[in-house]
Structure formats: C-alpha cells, structure tokens
Amino acid sequence: MRRPLNAQKSISMKPTLIFLCLTALGYQHAQSQSFANIPIFPLGETADSLYRAGYFRKVLPYAESAFAVFGDRPVSDTAAYAKAMYRLGEIEYQSGYYDRAFPHLQGAFSLYYAQLGMNDDTCARMCCAFSLALSRAIRWEEADSLLTRMIVEAEGNQGVSEFARLSLRWCQGTIYHNQRKYEQAQQIYESCQAGWEALGSIQTEEYCAGIYQLSGLASLADDVETSMRLDSIGLAVSRQIYGNDHPVNALFLNGIAMNNMTLGNWGKSIAYYEESISNYQQISDDFQKVLENFNKSEVFDKLNSLS
C-alpha cells in the first residue's frame, strides 16, 4: 500500500523523501533559481549539478557556507538573507535533518513574507516548503490555515504566476492526503494537473509529483489498472526531467513493481524492483535500497508459498 508523500518513514511505506523534496518543496523549475545564479553561493555550478543529481547531503556544505556569509552582521538585504536561509532549510530537509530544517524554513518564509508579502513565486515556494514541514510535524491545521490564506493572497496578485498558484493548491492537497482526506486531495490534484497541462507545464517536477500522488490514491482504491497507467506516465516524465538514473525514477519503478505483484506478474515485479534498487545505488541511499530489497523479498516469499 502506498503512503502520502509526506508520511513518516517506516519499512512498509513507499519511499518518499527524495520525491517530496524535489517537488513540493519548490525545487528549481526556473533557471533563475539555480544555485549557479546565486552570487553568494560558492562553487554554484558544482552545487547545482549535485542537487539535480540527487546528492543532497553533498550539497549541504555549500548551503551552509552561503548562509554563513551573513554571519552575525546586520542584514541590509532581508530578501537575500531569507533566500539563503530557505536554501539551507530546503537542503537540510532533503537530507533528512528535519529538526534542523524546520526553524530555517519557518524563518525564511516569515522574513520574506514580512518584507515583500505574497508578491512573487519565491514567496510561494517558501510557503509550500514551510507548510509541508508543518504537515510533517503533524501540525495540519496550521499548515492548512496558512495555505488557505496564501492561496487567496496569491490569486489577487499578478506577481505570482499561475504555475505557482497551482503549486500552492497542490501543497494543500498534500496536506489533506497526509490526513487521509483522500477525496478532497484527489479533487485538488486533478484540478492542478489539468491546470499544469493547460499551461504546457508537463515536464516539471510538480506535474510529476501530481502523477505520483494520483497513482497512490488509485492504489489505495485497489484500482491497479489506473495506478499502473499513471506510474508508467510518471516514469516517462521523470526520465525526461532527470535522465535514466535518478532516485525519482525509482518511485515509479517501485509502484509498477507493486502493481505487477498484485496482478501476480512475479517476474516483472522482481525486474522492476531490481531496476528501482539500481537507481538508488546511484546516490548510495542505503535506507531506500534496504526498503526496495525488502519489497522485492516479499515477491520471493509469495513465489515460495505458491511452489
């Protein structure tokens, strides 16, 4: 059974951390937001390449250095300070350091919003990041309330793109998903997917995340055919965005493996699990490899019971 993207880690859940952090936390879909274009970010090209490849913990020292540039000096450019704090919190979250990330994500959004309001896509990304951190802390009412207010403000502001408005609504759908309010979540996801398709924003991390969420809901409803179809679409989109060897691909490969196991296609299931594991080996993510091997072992156990 699949779990919401923001669920707690356990040996029985779908792997979630990498995909959540590359998408719902406002991953850089605009080139202007890359590390390479942040003047205070040392070795920006290297950090950006590592980030896109999924080597999150290797990027963390760069983010720490960028934030340390400000030191204890008075900050004349609050927006730049907030962006550096947001980058650090984002990467800490992606690296699994949730307690360290929370005050940075909260502080970044609070500072940026206090100075500029919900007037641009950067503020929307920070809001998504903080709201999902709240959700992970099981502070769902706070997250929902924040997103509801920010969605209203964004709707009336021309500085916020339609893409970012949809991303805010998608984050709210994730909050409902995490609370197992599946019907509400599905309505929001489907609306966001239609909106992104209308914008031509299909090859984006957010759209890819929406496919994954909808596939998970189909799986929960035992609609294997729909789940399989969506996972196949998501895998194709993911490969177009990230290439053939990336941990995001592994999420869809794992989903296809699960569905094949449900249908009794044991050989296909094992093959997809093995491909999924190979994607995690690209970034030496031991937890995810253990999880995938655990899932694959379930297939072998089933085969042994039938023999």
Side-chain angles (χ1 to χ4, degrees), residues 34-307:
S34 73
F35 288 123
N37 292 316
I38 299 177
I40 63 170
F41 210 102
L43 301 177
E45 293 289 351
T46 301
D48 201 42
S49 297
L50 289 169
Y51 187 88
R52 292 194 66 85
Y55 294 90
F56 306 126
R57 294 194 178 188
K58 291 185 179 181
V59 183
L60 188 55
Y62 299 127
E64 291 172 337
S65 297
F67 188 58
V69 167
F70 291 95
D72 296 324
R73 300 189 304 273
V75 179
S76 57
D77 188 346
T78 305
Y81 179 71
K83 287 178 181 178
M85 186 187 297
Y86 163 65
R87 259 328 149 203
L88 177 58
E90 181 185 37
I91 297 167
E92 286 172 334
Y93 197 105
Q94 291 167 347
S95 301
Y97 302 130
Y98 305 115
D99 291 341
R100 286 165 51 181
F102 190 92
H104 289 141
L105 295 174
Q106 181 181 33
F109 172 70
S110 299
L111 284 171
Y112 198 89
Y113 179 72
Q115 183 181 45
L116 298 174
M118 181 54 73
N119 288 318
D120 60 20
D121 288 9
T122 298
C123 192
R125 281 191 292 273
M126 290 181 179
C127 179
C128 280
F130 179 43
S131 67
L132 289 164
L134 283 169
S135 178
R136 193 183 188 285
I138 319 180
R139 293 164 62 175
W140 293 318
E141 290 186 6
E142 292 177 65
D144 189 20
S145 176
L146 172 63
L147 283 166
T148 297
R149 287 189 295 110
M150 294 301 105
I151 288 169
V152 171
E153 290 190 27
E155 289 294 338
N157 196 311
Q158 293 184 346
V160 182
S161 70
E162 181 60 20
F163 186 98
R165 294 189 190 109
L166 289 167
S167 296
L168 285 168
R169 291 201 289 272
W170 180 85
C171 284
Q172 191 167 44
T174 302
I175 305 302
Y176 294 145
H177 196 156
N178 292 339
Q179 297 177 78
R180 301 188 179 185
K181 297 178 179 178
Y182 299 133
E183 188 172 331
Q184 290 173 268
Q186 182 161 353
Q187 290 175 354
I188 292 174
Y189 292 155
E190 290 176 346
S191 174
C192 290
Q193 293 299 96
W196 283 322
E197 288 171 3
L199 291 173
S201 302
I202 294 177
Q203 290 187 27
T204 61
E205 291 82 4
E206 288 80 356
Y207 184 81
C208 200
I211 295 175
Y212 179 79
Q213 294 284 47
L214 286 170
S215 176
L217 290 175
S219 179
L220 286 170
D222 294 324
D223 187 349
V224 177
E225 182 178 342
T226 297
S227 181
M228 181 89 81
R229 177 177 58 81
L230 289 170
D231 278 331
S232 297
I233 294 171
L235 179 60
V237 173
S238 178
R239 283 173 169 163
Q240 288 174 338
I241 296 171
Y242 305 108
N244 290 326
D245 297 313
H246 197 281
V248 173
N249 300 340
L251 295 174
F252 293 107
L253 290 165
N254 189 34
I256 295 171
M258 284 184 172
N259 286 322
N260 272 294
M261 182 170 65
T262 301
L263 294 172
N265 300 328
W266 312 112
K268 287 185 178 180
S269 180
I270 292 169
Y272 279 113
Y273 276 132
E274 288 176 343
E275 188 176 356
S276 176
I277 293 165
S278 73
N279 276 259
Y280 285 125
Q281 287 173 339
Q282 301 300 318
I283 61 166
S284 300
D285 191 322
D286 293 332
F287 172 82
Q288 303 293 7
K289 283 187 288 185
V290 168
L291 178 62
E292 298 299 303
N293 277 302
F294 176 83
N295 288 335
K296 187 174 71 172
S297 72
E298 288 187 311
V299 183
F300 284 116
D301 288 345
K302 183 66 175 179
L303 281 171
N304 289 333
S305 69
L306 294 173
S307 61

